């Protein structure tokens, strides 16, 4: 049996892995290497547990630091592991630092690389993920694209002959788990201090963690102010990158309730319409996507899931990364500005469910087939 080393490290990769690994392991020996980029239980462990992903064979425990430091440390450690394992192929997903570090380590050892979610481009090297995507695609021997648009980018960049269209494993996962949470009536949430939170009947679902939106107070404050103006509460599972900033802003924007003049301890917290909650597991996230009035996000995964579920979405970013979703007002870009976000949220989208640019929900089989053919 041929051997595949799969490298994962960040939340969205665990989700994609969960569907691909199930099929891949029928044909190949898979050695799983977790870089450790995401390490909190609710950013990593919960996905392995809930989605039945096998324990990683290695966990390198590498996280934090600047992009260069993190990538460099991963590169050195991954080289050691790949030398020891000597796989027939390396498999990577998406566009994180773990993806690029693994691809570089493998290509230098002449191990062929398969990149799942190849070919996405937004046209700016200021975006760290764009750098990871371009480098990974160009050192890969097999580029597997989720959509036709991505395949066209690969063709334009001269690497079309080693590229294939497989569909999106995120779509496979979303279909599979949506069915499994369909009958669930309720989901438990925890606030960022670990206390229980009651999920409202009607709510918006927001995630926001990109460094472009959360590395300064001003932008995050504008986004949260927009949420405060909505007609239903906003459920916001906060990524650890910006949890401290969001919580501090909430306290700084606190106000004194008119009845609490004699009781200064009753300083209310700001952004009263937003429930800052701890990151949730994938099943809960799928539940929230399917039940939300609308979705506000800067996540590549969540904007696609909104589209899969037919939920209107506003993506707080200046460039499109999944242009297939940006039709008929289904998903619109907004600046990190209160008025712009609110005006985009007013649009009435039209979802054409016959339009399925992300495949048929069986990308895992196509990915496995492409690897089998490559290694034949
Ligand atoms: C990374 C990806 C991004 C993806 C996101 C998914 C890169 C360049 N970016 O961004 O594409 O959207 O993952 O969630 O790889 N932290 C914790 N606990 C954790 C994980 C992170 O406290 O479990 C903190 C660390 O202090 C870290 C910071 O969050 O420094 C940022 O984490 P990092 O992995 O560098 O980037 P993400 O923002 O998670
Ligand atoms: N997600 C989750 N819990 C959360 C927030 C998001 O399970 O608290 C899921 C979400 O449903 C989607 C994926 O994580 O499947 C998106 O990952 P993320 O936003 O971290 O990364 P990106 O998609 O931006 O690369």
């Amino acid at each position: 049996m041929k051997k595949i080393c799969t490298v994962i490290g960040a939340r969205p990769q665990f989700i994609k892995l969960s569907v691909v690994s199930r099929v891949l392991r029928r044909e190949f020996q898979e050695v799983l290497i977790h870089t450790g980029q995401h390490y909190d239980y609710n950013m990593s462990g919960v996905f392995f547990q809930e989605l039945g992903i096998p324990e990683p064979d290695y966990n390198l425990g590498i996280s934090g630091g600047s992009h260069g430091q993190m990538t460099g440390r991963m590169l050195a450690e991954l080289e050691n592991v790949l030398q020891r394992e000597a796989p027939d192929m390396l498999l990577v997903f998406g566009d994180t630092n773990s993806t690029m570090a693994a691809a570089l380590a493998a290509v230098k050892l002449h191990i062929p690389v398969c990149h799942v979610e190849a070919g996405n481009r937004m046209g700016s090297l200021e975006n760290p993920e764009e750098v990871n995507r371009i480098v990974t695609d160009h050192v890969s021997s097999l580029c597997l694209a989720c959509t036709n648009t991505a395949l066209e980018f690969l063709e334009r960049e001269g690497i079309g002959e080693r590229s294939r269209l497989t569909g999106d494993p995120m779509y496979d996962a979303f279909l599979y788990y949506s069915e499994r949470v369909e009958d669930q009536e309720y989901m438990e949430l925890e606030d960022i201090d670990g206390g229980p939170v009651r999920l409202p009947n009607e709510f918006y679902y927001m995630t926001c963690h990109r460094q472009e939106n959360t590395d300064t107070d001003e932008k995050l404050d504008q986004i949260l102010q927009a949420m405060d103006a909505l007609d239903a509460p906003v459920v916001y599972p906060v990524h650890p990158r910006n949890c401290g900033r969001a919580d501090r802003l909430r306290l700084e924007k606190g106000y004194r309730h008119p009845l609490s003049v004699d009781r200064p301890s009753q300083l209310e917290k700001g952004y009263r319409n937003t429930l800052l909650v701890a990151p949730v597991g994938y099943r809960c996230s799928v539940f929230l996507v399917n039940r939300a009035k609308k979705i506000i996000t800067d996540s590549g995964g969540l904007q696609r899931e909104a589209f899969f579920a037919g939920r209107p979405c506003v993506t707080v970013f200046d460039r499109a990364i999944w242009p297939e979703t940006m039709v008929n007002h289904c998903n619109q870009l907004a600046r990190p500005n209160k008025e712009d976000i609110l005006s985009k949220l007013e649009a009435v989208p039209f979802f054409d469910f016959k339009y399925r640019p992300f495949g048929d929900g069986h990308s895992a089989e196509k990915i496995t087939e492409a690897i089998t053919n490559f290694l034949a």
Side-chain angles (χ1 to χ4, degrees), residues 141-294:
S141 299
L142 190 56
C143 292
L144 302 181
C146 294
T147 65
N148 257 318
T149 319
L151 188 65
E152 281 164 18
F153 273 117
L154 295 164
E155 283 163 357
R156 244 177 277 160
E157 291 175 17
I159 49 177
E161 83 290 348
R162 40 185 158 113
S163 304
R164 308 276 177 278
L165 180 67
T166 56
D168 183 1
M170 211 66 167
Y171 185 44
D172 299 19
F174 191 78
L175 291 178
Y176 185 84
Y177 287 99
S178 289
E179 232 174 72
R180 276 152 189 81
V181 297
E182 205 170 35
D183 297 333
Q184 194 137 351
E185 288 187 356
Y186 192 71
M187 279 286 173
E188 299 291 333
L189 299 174
E190 271 186 2
D191 72 19
I192 55 177
D193 303 315
V197 171
R198 204 175 57 80
L199 181 65
N201 289 334
E202 225 187 22
F203 60 89
Y204 293 83
Y205 180 20
M206 164 158 109
T207 72
C208 178
H209 67 269
R210 296 249 158 246
Q211 67 179 43
E212 289 89 337
N213 285 331
T214 61
D215 277 7
T216 63
D217 284 1
E218 292 69 27
K219 290 179 183 166
L220 187 57
D221 176 51
Q222 281 287 312
I223 296 166
L224 288 164
Q225 277 195 43
M227 299 304 101
D228 245 20
L230 293 176
D231 58 351
V234 178
V235 176
Y236 176 20
V238 200
H239 186 291
R241 165 190 278 285
N242 57 294
C243 189
R245 186 183 299 278
D247 198 32
R248 176 176 53 73
L249 281 173
R250 175 166 69 150
L251 289 169
E252 283 172 15
K253 307 282 165 187
Y255 69 101
R256 271 179 213 286
H257 193 278
L259 296 178
S260 72
V261 261
D262 299 328
R263 287 174 294 160
S265 63
Q266 287 200 345
L267 180 68
E268 298 282 338
K269 290 179 172 181
Y271 310 127
R272 280 164 292 162
N273 199 40
T274 302
L275 298 164
L276 294 191
V277 300
V280 297
Y282 182 63
R283 297 171 78 100
C284 181
S285 188
V286 167
F287 179 91
L288 295 174
V289 171
N290 282 304
R291 313 278 167 118
K293 271 173 84 104
K294 296 187 181 182

